Amino acid sequence: MYKPHEFAKKLGVTVKTLQRWDTSGKLPAKRTVSNYRYYTDDDLRIAKGLQPLEAKKKVIIYCRVSSNNQKPELLNQVKAMEIFCSSKGLAIDETIKEIGGGLNFKRKKFLVLVSSILKGEVKTLVVAHKDRLCRFAFEFVEELATSYGCEIIVANQESLSPQQELVEDL
């Protein structure tokens, strides 16, 4: 990842030229969540007239239960998601299994997953229910993932009211 001044130096152009290219669409910059411009090695290859290296993006299954007492349910969840992916023709690259509360956004494997999404390494994320990924703010996480080219597929579209979700969490 290059900041605009670093990228301009590599190409032998000015930052102002990069801004013009971005505006005209000749070489659009990527943007961080806070709207700062940045460039990648693929952008460098494109600017030099070469083909970008297509990194293979992963299809990941994320399964979570709240406590160690639910380990058998975790295994059932993994099997169900494998069957679901198979029926949809999705080749699974990685399965993430985690034990921890859905209200906790500091779960280690969840944070690694979010980091991979932000790096553009994840094509598709499959979860059994929205609450398996996070109890609240699912729409935010989904929007964030979408902006980095990751589609989140929820296998079971069961919807609970906010009160029902809160009762289940407690």
Side-chain angles (χ1 to χ4, degrees):
M1 188 162 94
Y2 302 102
K3 293 180 180 177
H5 72 275
E6 297 167 336
F7 193 70
K9 187 175 181 181
K10 283 198 168 283
L11 289 176
V13 298
T14 66
V15 173
K16 200 70 168 161
T17 299
L18 290 179
Q19 290 171 344
R20 279 196 307 276
W21 288 353
D22 186 21
T23 304
S24 71
K26 180 178 178 180
L27 185 64
K30 295 181 180 44
R31 304 268 179 182
T32 65
V33 176
S34 52
N35 208 29
Y36 287 102
R37 292 180 302 126
Y38 72 92
Y39 297 90
T40 63
D41 287 327
D42 277 347
D43 294 323
L44 186 60
R45 292 181 60 79
I46 291 168
K48 291 182 176 183
L50 303 172
Q51 290 295 319
L53 298 173
E54 286 293 321
K56 183 179 180 326
K57 290 185 159 192
K58 297 179 187 177
V59 173
I60 296 178
I61 293 175
Y62 179 83
C63 299
R64 180 192 63 77
V65 293
S66 299
S67 68
N68 282 321
N69 296 340
Q70 297 173 312
K71 277 187 180 179
E73 173 56 31
L74 183 61
L75 298 176
N76 291 338
Q77 199 179 129
V78 170
K79 287 178 189 171
M81 291 302 90
E82 287 172 347
I83 292 168
F84 175 82
C85 288
S86 176
S87 72
K88 298 288 184 187
L90 292 171
I92 303 162
D93 295 305
E94 185 178 345
T95 299
I96 298 173
K97 296 179 266 186
E98 188 160 50
I99 298 173
L103 294 173
N104 179 4
F105 280 94
K106 293 183 179 178
R107 299 183 312 260
K108 287 181 182 179
K109 293 180 181 180
F110 173 78
L111 292 174
V112 169
L113 173 62
V114 170
S115 178
S116 293
I117 290 171
L118 296 178
K119 291 177 186 172
E121 298 171 348
V122 182
K123 176 183 176 188
T124 308
L125 175 62
V126 181
V127 294
H129 298 276
K130 288 180 180 181
D131 70 348
R132 294 301 87 196
L133 191 59
C134 54
R135 285 286 185 181
F136 296 108
F138 176 84
E139 288 75 18
F140 171 74
V141 173
E142 184 176 40
E143 184 64 31
L144 183 68
T146 300
S147 69
Y148 283 90
C150 174
E151 175 189 16
I152 297 179
I153 297 175
V154 180
N156 302 307
Q157 292 287 346
E158 173 187 318
S159 63
L160 299 175
S161 71
Q163 293 84 3
Q164 288 172 316
E165 286 187 12
L166 187 58
V167 168
E168 283 191 11
D169 287 337
L170 296 174

